[in-house]
Amino acid sequence: MTPRTFLDAASGLPFHPRAREAFLAALDDGWADPARLYSSGRSARQLLDGARASVASVLACRPEELAFTANGASAVYAGIRGAAAGRARMGTHVVHSAIEHSAVLHACAELTPEAVGVDSTGMVSVDDFAARVHSDTALACLIAASHEVGTVQPVAELALALNAACPEVPLLVDASQVLGRAPVASGWSLLVGSARQWGGGPVGVLAVRAGVRFRSPWPEDEHEGGRAPGLVDLPAVLAAAVGLEAAVAESSAQDARLRALVDRIREQVALIPDVEVVGHPSLRLPHLVTFSCLYLDGESLVRELDALGFEVSSGSSCTSSTLEPSHVLVAMGALTHGNVRVSLSRDTTTEDVDRFLAVLPGLVARLRDEAGVSGL
Amino acid sequence: MTLTLDCLGRPCPVPVIELARALPGVEVGQTVTVLSDDPAAGPDLAAWCRMRGQAFEGGTGSSWTVRRLV
């Protein structure tokens, strides 16, 4: 049996061991309705309050600014709809980078979106972005770091620029790939994230700064400040909070370790003929690297790597349900076919990376031979 | 006179491969037109031209023109 090596952390991690413990314990201790006044309800309330305070401290926001949602996409949809509805009298103009997560693009498609391009490293320009935002813009959205190519975006600089030019326009930051790995840049008005990305299970977070105009897209019930409907899944929320604490505690050590491994992958992969590493070489996430192999299709690479024991993802059109290439790679002018994204986790070992790098050049050469494209 | 490669209905990277095979057959300065309805064709033909020092001259959505420079 081929050993399995999971190299797709950016799609979502398994529970961190401590998050798993918290989840299992909460099935016994955290099942009750936190709104009830009897003792099980009060215990549940204490656990929920503790989880909210813990996550809020990582986000550097107040607990009452933070809502837990069913998953990351729910947080994105509620955040964008709620912020836009809060400024509905300004119209529906929303400015976002061309490399946002598809959840952000879907939500913005309901409004009047304007995309800001990126350079060949996947970096947005603060000046370009700020120039598109006007005082009657409903909302600006920027991903903190690209989930596809890892490039870290100038969030704090954009927040400063917007605050100077149009302080009334809220900035929504999608911090999904950053939470638990690096401090979140300051200056956001709304922040969204997904606990799956830090090993905390299927929970989303939506923070809305006090003073930001926000009208919930849901009927406003008494849960989560009216921003997410109904009771939270308390065991999942507790797992998310404990998982985030654990990820933050490990982040410095993991950052250095994974950054070095990704540096090695970047160097070695670039030596394979006609393979381009995409994304910024230094201003990048610690754990993620993306490359494209000329003349190969992404689906074959993903399937063949899987057969060799390596689980990776791809931004190539043949691997997407819509058969569209990755909008992120297109925006960068990168090759979209033959694309592979490798993203490492706390469980990834040096030996895993060694084995991956040992098989990749031969696999690329074999697939090119089979396709009759060697030497083209 | 421009060479036309009909890659309609054939997914990427086929259009790029066909272009790479055909371009050495035209004179420097001449063009090749690639017909492709794959949504990745435009971006990938442009990226290939960047990598190989050829000129991507754009297109209409299912027809793309490349000029041989080297």
Side-chain angles (χ1 to χ4, degrees):
Chain A
M1 170 105 183
T2 312
R4 306 307 307 166
T5 303
F6 178 69
L7 297 176
D8 192 21
S11 288
L13 291 167
F15 273 130
H16 188 283
R18 287 191 48 211
R20 187 174 184 279
E21 278 172 27
F23 183 86
L24 292 175
L27 294 177
D28 291 328
D29 305 335
W31 53 269
D33 183 341
R36 296 293 170 256
L37 298 179
Y38 43 75
S39 132
S40 314
R42 292 200 308 275
S43 299
R45 167 58 58 189
Q46 280 186 342
L47 291 170
L48 178 57
D49 289 349
R52 196 182 312 281
S54 168
V55 175
S57 76
V58 174
L59 271 52
C61 71
R62 304 212 305 250
E64 57 272 26
E65 294 174 327
L66 174 66
F68 293 111
T69 65
N71 51 45
S74 302
V76 167
Y77 295 158
I80 291 174
R81 282 184 168 178
R87 282 173 59 77
R89 67 190 173 85
M90 292 299 170
T92 57
H93 182 226
V94 52
V95 180
H96 60 76
S97 84
I99 60 160
E100 297 301 308
H101 190 277
S102 56
V104 169
L105 300 184
H106 288 312
C108 288
E110 299 180 332
L111 304 162
T112 309
E114 181 174 355
V116 183
V118 294
D119 66 15
S120 61
T121 70
M123 186 74 74
V124 80
S125 146
V126 170
D127 289 345
D128 284 354
F129 197 118
R132 314 282 186 101
V133 177
H134 312 295
S135 57
D136 59 354
T137 298
L139 177 65
C141 303
L142 182 61
I143 195 165
S146 171
H147 58 300
E148 288 201 39
V149 301
T151 304
V152 173
Q153 303 299 315
V155 170
E157 294 83 348
L158 180 66
L160 281 175
L162 293 183
N163 199 41
C166 312
E168 61 282 16
V169 177
L171 173 64
L172 180 142
V173 171
D174 172 5
S176 297
Q177 293 296 336
V178 170
L179 290 173
R181 294 196 170 90
V184 178
S186 58
W188 49 269
S189 316
L190 300 100
L191 188 106
V192 293
S194 164
R196 268 177 61 75
Q197 265 62 38
W198 69 68
V203 169
V205 293
L206 166 61
V208 183
R209 286 274 188 225
V212 171
R213 286 178 169 276
F214 188 91
R215 199 166 76 219
S216 178
W218 299 99
E220 291 200 27
D221 63 19
E222 68 277 24
H223 300 291
E224 299 302 298
R227 289 168 189 160
L231 268 184
V232 296
D233 179 349
L234 187 53
V237 164
L238 294 172
V242 170
L244 185 57
E245 280 177 14
V248 169
E250 295 169 357
S251 62
S252 299
Q254 290 295 344
D255 187 289
R257 192 179 75 85
L258 298 180
R259 207 169 275 280
L261 289 176
V262 165
D263 278 340
R264 272 193 52 220
I265 299 174
R266 290 179 67 96
E267 287 164 19
Q268 295 294 311
V269 164
L271 298 176
I272 306 172
D274 286 328
V275 174
E276 275 200 326
V277 178
V278 296
H280 200 284
S282 56
L283 299 174
R284 61 171 179 80
L285 289 167
H287 65 298
L288 190 157
V289 51
T290 304
F291 53 89
S292 294
C293 307
L294 189 62
Y295 304 134
L296 296 184
D297 71 271
E299 183 177 359
S300 298
L301 281 162
V302 170
R303 289 190 193 285
E304 294 287 338
L305 283 168
D306 184 55
L308 294 166
F310 300 99
E311 302 183 335
V312 302
S313 70
S314 168
S316 296
S317 54
C318 48
T319 65
S320 84
S321 55
T322 59
L323 295 181
E324 291 282 336
S326 152
H327 62 274
V328 175
L329 298 174
V330 170
M332 296 168 66
L335 207 58
T336 75
H337 67 250
N339 181 258
V340 171
R341 180 184 70 181
V342 172
S343 46
L344 314 182
S345 73
R346 63 191 297 280
D347 296 324
T348 311
T349 64
T350 303
E351 291 71 31
D352 292 335
V353 170
D354 287 343
R355 286 187 298 110
F356 178 77
L357 291 174
V359 305
L360 186 69
L363 173 63
V364 169
R366 172 164 72 78
L367 291 176
R368 283 184 178 151
D369 277 347
E370 288 171 8
V373 297
S374 298
L376 261 189
Chain B
M1 177 61 195
T2 180
L3 178 66
T4 297
L5 304 172
D6 184 352
C7 301
L8 294 169
R10 303 178 72 196
C12 272
V14 170
V16 176
I17 292 170
E18 292 302 315
L19 174 68
R21 288 198 171 118
L23 204 66
V26 305
E27 299 289 327
V28 170
Q30 297 299 300
T31 60
V32 171
T33 298
V34 182
L35 305 181
S36 172
D37 45 10
D38 188 302
D44 279 7
L45 291 167
W48 182 85
C49 289
R50 171 179 55 75
M51 293 169 78
R52 289 290 191 261
Q54 311 294 353
F56 179 71
E57 303 205 331
T60 60
S62 61
S63 172
W64 312 93
T65 302
V66 170
R67 187 175 299 279
R68 182 175 173 193
L69 295 185
V70 290

